[in-house]
Amino acid sequence: MALGNRKSSDIFNKKTGGSKDSKSIDTAKETEIKDKFDRGEHIEDAGMFENLAPALYAIQQLTEDIEELRRYITSEVGDGAQGPQGPAGAKGDTGAAGAAGARGADGARGPAGADGADGADGRDGSAGTTDASKLDASTLPTSRPKDRNKLWNNRGVVNVS
């Protein structure tokens, strides 16, 4: 969400020349006001303080709110537009054992031209698995097979050709 329009106006400004208006003061007047503030004259003068106390209290509360916003933006948000990028996560484990090969006609050919033997069962003792956590990618080829629908290990990520 974008920053809304400013609702407050300047109490005074340092405009000069043709842009000078009723709120304009020069540098000397600003220095005089600052020096009085730094000396605490607005608090020492009991009559002035009694008249200004409610407004000074409100200004003090606003100042504390602004400082909290400044703290939050610099420590929690970063540059204010987008928070800092989080750290990269650790590389996950390779994964558990899974299916080792296809079954059926892709097995070794028997004597006298008989049909091939079934392929070996997966390492989990079953004929294969649909549980990806049991897949052992270390036994898969590391380059993309020419045949379609074959699994291969692409730097630890199992892909289908």
Side-chain angles (χ1 to χ4, degrees):
M1 179 153 101
L3 184 63
N5 293 335
R6 181 177 173 183
K7 293 182 180 181
S8 62
S9 63
D10 293 333
I11 295 171
F12 62 84
N13 63 61
K14 295 195 301 182
K15 295 178 184 176
T16 58
S19 62
K20 189 173 182 179
D21 60 26
S22 62
K23 294 181 180 182
S24 299
I25 62 171
D26 60 19
T27 303
K29 186 65 175 178
E30 182 183 25
T31 302
E32 178 186 337
I33 293 169
K34 181 185 180 316
D35 290 344
K36 286 182 177 185
F37 179 81
D38 290 345
R39 288 190 300 268
E41 288 184 18
H42 59 291
I43 295 175
E44 291 175 356
D45 183 336
M48 184 187 312
F49 185 71
E50 285 299 316
N51 288 332
L52 294 176
L56 292 174
Y57 178 79
I59 290 170
Q60 180 63 32
Q61 299 298 302
L62 288 171
T63 302
E64 290 173 12
D65 284 344
I66 289 168
E67 287 306 312
E68 172 58 15
L69 288 170
R70 183 186 320 274
R71 183 209 60 80
Y72 174 76
I73 288 170
T74 57
S75 67
E76 305 289 332
V77 177
D79 68 3
Q82 177 179 344
Q85 181 176 345
K91 183 178 176 184
D93 293 333
T94 300
R103 297 173 51 112
D106 291 339
R109 305 272 303 163
D115 288 339
D118 287 347
D121 287 342
R123 287 189 182 175
D124 64 356
S126 69
T129 182
T130 58
D131 184 351
S133 69
K134 295 182 179 178
L135 181 64
D136 181 9
S138 67
T139 61
L140 296 175
T142 56
S143 60
R144 184 179 187 145
K146 293 179 183 178
D147 296 335
R148 295 183 56 126
N149 299 321
K150 300 290 183 184
L151 297 177
W152 64 288
N153 182 344
N154 184 7
R155 296 186 181 124
V157 176
V158 176
N159 291 309
V160 179
S161 64

